[in-house]
Amino acid sequence: ALRHTAMVVDTLYAKLKPDFNDKTQPTFHESRGMLDERDRGVQTATLLQEAGVAGGEGLYAAFAGWLQTAYGVMQPGDLDAAYLPEALKGFFGDYGWGTLTVSELAPAVMALDSEDWAEAAPDQGSSYPACHLTSGMLADFLGRMAQGQVAVMEVECRTRGDSRCRFLVGAPDSLSVLYDRMSRGLTYAE
């Protein structure tokens, strides 16, 4: 089970509350399914991304506490950048999100990859990358680490049938240029 996602599920639940007839709170994947059914996917991505952003602060606080125990680092900003990939892999793995690898795709773009990311639902299928909650959550979380605005764009997704989920992280302007290129038919790697 995912730890520290209660606030995210609570946010989704608050948006869905009128749809419930009992007092049982749904799991994340149940909430997502209900959003898809209710909104036919039109607003699901936006709602999930907003919930992810709302959960970013709590995730950052959890990471700060985890870093103190795992690395003896008092503040995330004090972590030597050379240890960031290892720390992110350890943290997200320990908290049940999945196995994460971090690499530099380009000087201004970092790639986060996972072959078992928790938000992905390969059995549900999708025409597009679908880890919207993660994209919002990572944007807020990594923006707090960078002490600036960070954009996150998922370009591969297990829900879509890809072998992994891949999130690109960079300055909003950098990812905007990349998105524009992709909208013209190029791949993100070109």
Side-chain angles (χ1 to χ4, degrees), residues 145-157:
M145 289 194 63
Q147 297 178 345
Q149 194 173 14
V150 171
V152 175
M153 178 172 56
E154 187 180 23
V155 294
E156 295 178 40
C157 184

Side-chain angles (χ1 to χ4, degrees), residues 90-111:
F91 173 72
F92 284 107
D94 286 355
Y95 276 68
W97 283 94
T99 307
L100 190 67
T101 58
V102 181
S103 60
E104 183 180 286
L105 186 66
V109 180
M110 179 172 64

Side-chain angles (χ1 to χ4, degrees), residues 2 21 30 42 49 53 95 115 129 136 152-153 167-168 172 187:
L2 302 177
N21 295 323
E30 289 169 336
V42 174
Q49 193 169 21
V53 169
Y95 276 68
E115 295 178 359
V152 175
M153 178 172 56
F167 303 92
L168 302 184
T187 68

